[in-house]
Amino acid sequence: MKKQKCIREDAETKIKPFDFLSEEIVCSILDYLKSNPFDLKSFSLVSKSFYSIESCHRKTLKPFPRTSNDHRHDQLKKLLKRYPFLTRLDLSLCPRITDGCLSYITNSCGKTLKSIDLSRSKFFTHVGLSYLVSNCFNLVDIDLSNAIHLNDTAAAAVATCRSLERLCLTRCKSLTDIGIGCIAVGCSNLRVLSLKWCLGVSDLGVALIGVKCKQIRSLDLSHLLITEKCLPSLLKLQYLEDLTLEGCCGINDESLVSLKQGWTSLKTLNMSYCENVTHVGVSSLTSTATCLQTLNLSYGPIITLPFSESLQKFSQLQSIRLDGCQVTCSGLKGIGNWCVSLKEISLSKCLGVTDDGLSSIVMKHTDLRKLDITCCRKITQVSIAHVTKSCGSLVSLKMESCTLVPSEAFFLIGQNCHFLEELDLTDNDVDDEGLKFISKCSHLSVLKLGICLNISDDGLIYIGNGCQKLRELDLYRSIEITDTGISVVAHGCPSLEMMNVSYCENITDSSLISLSNCSNLNTLECRGCPRITSLGLRAIAIRCKQIIKLDIKKCFNVNDSGMIPLAQFSHNLRQINLSYSSVTDVGLLYLASLGCLQSMTVLHMEGLTPVGLAATLLGCGGLMKVKLQSSFRTLLPRLVIDHLESRGCVFHWRDKFFQAELDPKCWKLQAEDVE
Amino acid sequence: MIRKKLETVPSSLTQIKLIQEDLDAKIKPQLWDPKTMLSNLSIMEEKVHQLQELVQLIVSKSSINQSNEFLIQQQQLVTADLTSIIIQLISTAGSLLPNVKHPHFSPNPNPNPNTSDDNNSSDGNTHTTHKNKVSKIEDHSNETDHMDVHEEHDDDVDEGENLPPGSYEILQLEKDEILAPHTHFCVICGKGFKRDANLRMHMRGHGDEYKTAAALAKPHKDQGSEVKLIKRYSCPYIGCKRNKDHKKFQPLKTILCVKNHYKRTHCDKSYTCSRCNTKKFSVIADLKTHEKHCGRDRWICSCGTTFSRKDKLFGHIALFQGHTPAIPIEESKGGGTIGGHDHDVHDHNHNHDQDQDHGDNYNNNIQGSKEVGFFDFNFNSNGSGVDPNICFSPLNMESNTNKFQEFPRSLFEDSDNFSFLLSESCNYLWKNGGESSYKDL
């Protein structure tokens, strides 16, 4: 008896060290742990008090369904019971929120809830929404994106939420002016509003927002069929800072020229894909929008000298995007003559970018942080020399497919741009020597080396040793890479989150085993790596529990045994591509237990039968998108397809023939031809 | 007897006749060019001859057997020719029109222009010293705007007219006269007519002396008057913008304008729409115009006001604080599964109809707007955006009433705006009222 008591006392003294910590300290420790959900889990498993502290401390929750057929939302209910002080609830991973579920949420969260994200669900109606806004009257943020089914009544229900400050209605296509009118009148405190793709909304609704919601800071009107009629009332929004008019074809030069008054508060303007706006309209804005800092004119007007000179009147401009515009050399030189010093320039896919023009820009704007010259195929080493010489503080450089740039140019990048965090060298001539210099950029977190045929393990070893902050590495079709290089990277860069080794045919399981060292890995693409087997996949599944996206298309040696650990450990898995693999009905059925799985591509899998597929599809309750061979369209029972579609799942039927070799349009063949 | 009858004619009418005679004396008929007339006539003559020949040709050939279609073709040809001749005739005659402007004046001998001037200046009705600028489109039009559609509502408006003050005569009819149904009275029996032509036809019954061609012919006058002075009218209502004493006086163009303006602005609205029992009008033409559109008001504000056009609704909502667009009934109730329920609503309305005798303006209006909603249901049943997925549940109804209850806060927060409101809108109280009246039932 006494002995037992002693043991218990011992146990109590053992726990003591944690008890000394005050709740405040524990809470601040929790704050540090926030970034990793697994850390938080371990924390709450320490003791009952830690568990309860964690439960009370947690403010945001992003639940995902553990099992795929939780129709009564028992898991969600348990979670809500455990976390009573939630202020933000992100339900974007729960595609099947119903009215009943919403009413449960509102009852348990009540007035503490400030923010809710319902952007992926299609199963609630205005009834649930009116519950929500009447019980959680402190809500300031509602995200209803993709709720195609919501109508004006739902909008009227939302409109009763007077405190609302942020509302996202992207792709709510059934909304009309009436609903928007209700929101405009009801939610007069709105600061951020997105009406992107709300095709039922016209000038009248938008104009009413301009009249009623005086507090608006940010407004997204992309792809609406609006004309100049709503612009005068938008001008009345005195706090408007961020306006997005992407793809608004109804807005043309005349409507912009006719604006007398200016948006003096406007800081960000996006007029990309406005096909009816030319330099005339934009120039007319220069006199009115004087505070503009960010301007996006992608796929818009031709950049000529007079135009770039007129843009100079935006005296506070810091960032300009001219993606896909046609530019002239003098136009670029005009930008080079601006008095302001730009921080960001994007010339991605611009036609007419030459060494001359680009050099004159970078020589003037020496403070440049971000430069995007993707697919500017005419530029050579001259430009790169100027860029690296004058823009030492460059943080991001994207130069995919600048094919004329020789391998020597990459020395300069490594030597001069030490602050680089993002570098895209896809389809360039960079070699191992170049990578040696690039590895000096120790802040590098995103590195894309896809289709760089000249790099090998040697170069990758430099990277693995030099760039320890790497989060994203793309080695797509860099065919010289082997396990050696991957293992150095995997051990040198433990914070890797995204990895692409597709079509690197020399990769084997040992690469995956070494990659499993990176516990933060959430995306792994290893298409067309025939040497990978279920064993490697098992290592990834067990150790990389945050994996969200997995692409093992054309990994012919992956079979059902690889699916078992996935089903067991990868609860976060949302997207999987199993095409051409050796997985059969059995393996697929294992996956059906994954509650989070939203997208599945299963093409050309010989072991797949209609019965097994139907069972899997019915089992995966959260599936939103399935890519199937069109032969299954007739083979699957009609009722199953109907049922899945009514659950919100979209089928993509593909009719491609089985291809033994790689894509016919592949770059590789062309490359070989050249050689 | 005649004298007596004459006395029954309102004094102001005689007064105005006097003025007009004076005026006519001054107005010279617009000069028509005899040469043009002659050439026009000769052209017409030519055309008639051509047509004659054509018809002769047809007649001569008609003995030969001809198909029906050919005959029809010929007929069309002749008709076309005839039409063009008639049009020309009318246009030629039109050049004489200014001379025929004041048909009810007896053909008076030309009075002396000088004396007429004297008359004018001594007459209190004419004001030659205006300080007004008659340019802006007048504000009353806004008011009528609210009352939906008025086809004739242009009458009141002097579109862009910019007459310098003093360049026109100002006439003012008295109230009785404006409201009098007839303007032409038989001097013998006193019967009134709206048109002079009808009066002349009537006169034939009083004796053979009225049957002569001269008596029946349209009275011609104005011969000899030289200057054509524009006439404008003033509203007798003191303080009205259309009254000549108003600071920013804006005259009315014609007598018809005066009548419509006076009735619309200063009279009770005695004609009620039989369909919605809500809208009231003082001019019968307005009522008829409204009835054409009544029931089509698909756009409803939460205050109960209905609009035939969406932009009008949004303009209204932009103007008033707290007003929101109302969701059409069929959408908020979610599809057609609730026909029975809708019926209920309508039945309620029926009861209201009976209660209405108490002159409860309130109920009247609420009922009206509901009824519009009901109509709406019919109009929209063939399809716009009704979500079939939504099933009817008791909750639906609840949310609906919630919406109505939400409205009791002060509706017209800016009283400034309110003062401008049309007299009718005060009838449109919010639906909350409707709610309470429901409970009464």
Side-chain angles (χ1 to χ4, degrees), chain A residues 484-519:
Chain A
T484 325
I486 300 289
S487 96
V488 172
V489 167
H491 288 98
C493 318
S495 47
L496 264 184
E497 290 173 17
M498 292 172 73
M499 185 74 187
N500 192 337
V501 289
S502 299
Y503 301 107
C504 298
E505 295 179 350
N506 299 320
I507 299 287
T508 70
D509 282 342
S510 78
S511 281
L512 293 196
I513 291 168
S514 49
L515 274 177
S516 68
N517 184 45
C518 310
S519 59

Side-chain angles (χ1 to χ4, degrees), chain B residues 180-333:
Chain B
H182 304 133
T183 44
H184 307 279
F185 295 93
C186 172
V187 286
I188 296 163
C189 67
K191 185 168 186 199
F193 296 91
K194 280 185 181 169
R195 292 180 182 80
D196 181 57
N198 294 352
L199 172 63
R200 273 180 276 129
M201 293 305 276
H202 162 84
M203 293 308 280
R204 291 188 306 176
H206 284 303
D208 287 341
E209 67 267 36
Y210 298 107
K211 285 182 185 169
T212 59
L216 280 172
K218 279 187 182 177
H220 280 270
K221 64 259 110 102
D222 313 333
Q223 291 132 3
S225 43
E226 293 279 318
V227 193
K228 180 175 164 59
L229 237 187
I230 305 161
K231 279 199 290 291
R232 289 291 176 264
Y233 296 86
S234 153
C235 168
Y237 195 92
I238 305 297
C240 171
K241 206 174 184 183
R242 302 298 200 168
N243 183 266
K244 58 183 190 285
D245 294 331
H246 193 276
K247 267 193 295 185
K248 294 179 177 175
F249 170 60
Q250 292 191 324
L252 294 152
K253 259 184 180 170
T254 65
I255 294 180
L256 192 66
C257 292
V258 177
K259 285 185 170 183
N260 282 341
H261 159 77
Y262 193 85
K263 284 184 192 165
R264 278 179 189 145
T265 323
H266 309 299
C267 291
D268 288 340
K269 298 180 175 180
S270 45
Y271 302 110
T272 311
C273 172
S274 58
R275 277 179 153 179
C276 61
N277 273 323
T278 309
K279 294 270 182 187
K280 294 181 170 185
F281 302 93
S282 45
V283 177
I284 200 152
D286 292 350
L287 172 69
K288 283 180 179 163
T289 318
H290 163 78
E291 279 183 336
K292 274 187 215 161
H293 298 275
C294 183
R296 287 192 205 169
D297 291 350
R298 308 176 50 218
W299 309 106
I300 312 164
C301 176
S302 54
C303 68
T305 320
T306 59
F307 301 86
S308 57
R309 286 168 54 180
K310 191 157 85 169
D311 54 339
K312 297 282 178 200
L313 167 66
F314 276 77
H316 168 90
I317 287 163
L319 199 59
F320 298 104
Q321 261 183 15
H323 290 213
T324 71
I327 312 291
I329 285 171
E330 84 274 26
E331 191 181 319
S332 61
K333 286 185 180 166

Side-chain angles (χ1 to χ4, degrees), chain B residues 4-20:
Chain B
K4 198 179 173 187
K5 285 293 169 193
L6 260 176
E7 278 165 11
T8 61
V9 176
S11 60
S12 62
L13 183 68
T14 50
Q15 201 176 21
I16 217 152
K17 273 188 180 171
L18 276 173
I19 300 162
Q20 287 191 339

